[in-house]
Amino acid sequence: EADNKQLQDWEKKADEMLQVNDVTRLEKDLLDLLIGFSRVMPSFVGFPALQNAFKTPEAQVKVVLKVVKNLRVVLKKMQLDKLPAETQPKVRSLVVYVYCLVQEAWNTYGASAGMGPAAFWAKGNLEEEEFDEYADEFEEHLVSVLEYNLPEVLAGRLSRASVRFRRALDLGCGTGLCGRALRRRAALDRLEGVDLSGGMLKRARERGGYDQLWQRDLLAQLQREEAKAADLLVAADVFIYVGALDQVFREAYRVLEEGGLFVFSTELAHEDDTMEDMVKRESGRYAHKRSYIERLAAGDADQPYFSVEVEALPLRIEDDLPLEGELFMLQRLPHVQR
């Protein structure tokens, strides 16, 4: 009952965001409403202001969904990519926060309750198609504002390999940014995409480039594949959501034919960042140590899995700075005969 009394006031504050036409003001109002301070870090975990104000997750979800719905409207109205050059640093900052908000909303209230993305967004009367439009708009900002060009970089590396791939799997394909880059620049006979989100796959299907799309967890898809079923596995900006990669590497080795490539990116964890193999950032993303990836690639004493090539590169702009990452190109080694 106490939550219900407060809910109307908070939803009114969320509606006031619709009248904002200034990037700095929108960022401040957004963070004040959900977190309780205007700017301390470029990412966040959970929604402290909501969790302090409301006792039940149900009330917190209503406010978050209201904010996301209103953000979709106000961002379209503001046309961020057309704002003057001097405002673009603030635009980058705002886009990072919106990215974190959308991701953290589902992580906190959807995934933890076992809900798929479409079911979660529908709770706020955001139809799947409507949210897909928001995702499309944000994808444009991701590329143009956050300078996200990892798919093009990855596809460029593969194009220089001078190899024609029989069957490629794009693991965690999302709306198909990486798949479309692969189609443009790499030599592929067949390209299949895998993603948990039906909404993302719908967009990937509409935009083309894939011969087949699978709505599954990437590990579940690998486990369903026959041995030596593919000669290219790609995971661009995906393992930041996975954490431990031991099972993924075992299945990748099994699914790839001899000489096949396993190409993926990681967010970089420096060796002195943690005693563990990876660290979970305040953004909720995982950063992996290079030594961890190299150890997994080495396989076991009886059977090494992959040879390793790695290069450092910026993944995107975050808080006006390049986010450190690494691009790995692993080649499957022959099976050791005993």
Side-chain angles (χ1 to χ4, degrees), residues 67-298:
V67 168
V68 170
K69 191 169 187 177
N70 289 351
L71 273 173
R72 178 178 175 270
V73 175
V74 74
L75 289 175
K76 179 176 282 190
K77 181 178 69 175
M78 292 176 74
Q79 296 183 297
L80 300 183
D81 56 325
K82 297 181 180 179
L83 292 176
E86 61 267 21
T87 68
Q88 289 308 310
K90 271 295 179 186
V91 169
R92 292 190 185 97
S93 174
L94 175 62
V95 171
V96 168
Y97 279 120
V98 174
Y99 178 80
C100 291
L101 165 61
V102 172
Q103 176 182 303
E104 191 62 25
W106 181 68
N107 285 345
T108 301
Y109 302 113
S112 61
M115 299 174 64
F120 173 68
W121 296 115
K123 286 171 68 69
N125 295 319
L126 280 164
E127 298 295 333
E128 187 171 357
E129 293 80 6
E130 191 175 2
F131 182 70
D132 286 345
E133 289 179 20
Y134 179 87
D136 284 348
E137 295 159 15
F138 186 76
E139 181 182 293
E140 182 179 338
H141 296 316
L142 186 66
V143 175
S144 63
V145 178
L146 293 186
E147 301 175 20
Y148 178 71
N149 65 348
L150 178 62
E152 293 294 336
V153 172
L154 187 153
R157 300 295 185 273
L158 287 172
S159 70
R160 293 200 291 272
S162 300
V163 174
R164 185 163 196 90
F165 297 98
R166 172 180 58 84
R167 180 173 180 246
L169 287 177
D170 183 3
L171 305 173
C173 65
T175 59
L177 273 174
C178 190
R180 294 193 296 277
L182 288 171
R183 276 297 188 196
R184 286 193 301 271
R185 306 190 64 180
L188 307 172
D189 289 335
R190 183 173 179 82
L191 174 62
E192 300 177 25
V194 183
D195 203 279
L196 267 176
S197 168
M200 293 290 191
L201 291 175
K202 179 176 180 290
R203 281 295 178 236
R205 186 174 294 108
E206 290 171 350
R207 294 178 175 190
Y210 294 94
D211 297 291
Q212 190 161 359
L213 293 166
W214 306 95
Q215 187 174 1
R216 294 192 188 105
D217 170 81
L218 67 90
L219 180 59
Q221 179 66 34
L222 289 174
Q223 290 170 336
R224 293 171 69 100
E225 295 283 342
E226 295 183 0
K228 301 181 180 180
D231 53 356
L232 175 62
L233 301 177
V234 172
D237 222 15
V238 174
F239 292 155
I240 56 175
Y241 304 114
V242 177
L245 300 174
D246 306 58
Q247 287 184 279
V248 173
F249 268 64
R250 283 195 292 272
E251 290 300 324
Y253 176 78
R254 186 185 64 81
V255 170
L256 279 171
E257 65 182 37
E258 183 178 323
L261 297 180
F262 183 20
V263 185
F264 58 88
S265 64
T266 62
E267 189 170 320
L268 177 63
H270 292 283
E271 296 298 319
D272 55 358
D273 281 352
T274 175
M275 297 293 292
E276 306 299 325
D277 294 321
M278 70 206 76
V279 59
K280 191 171 186 179
R281 305 290 194 200
E282 290 177 331
S283 62
R285 300 190 303 256
Y286 290 95
H288 297 85
K289 287 183 175 180
R290 182 184 295 190
S291 60
Y292 173 58
I293 301 299
E294 290 173 338
R295 189 170 74 250
L296 293 179

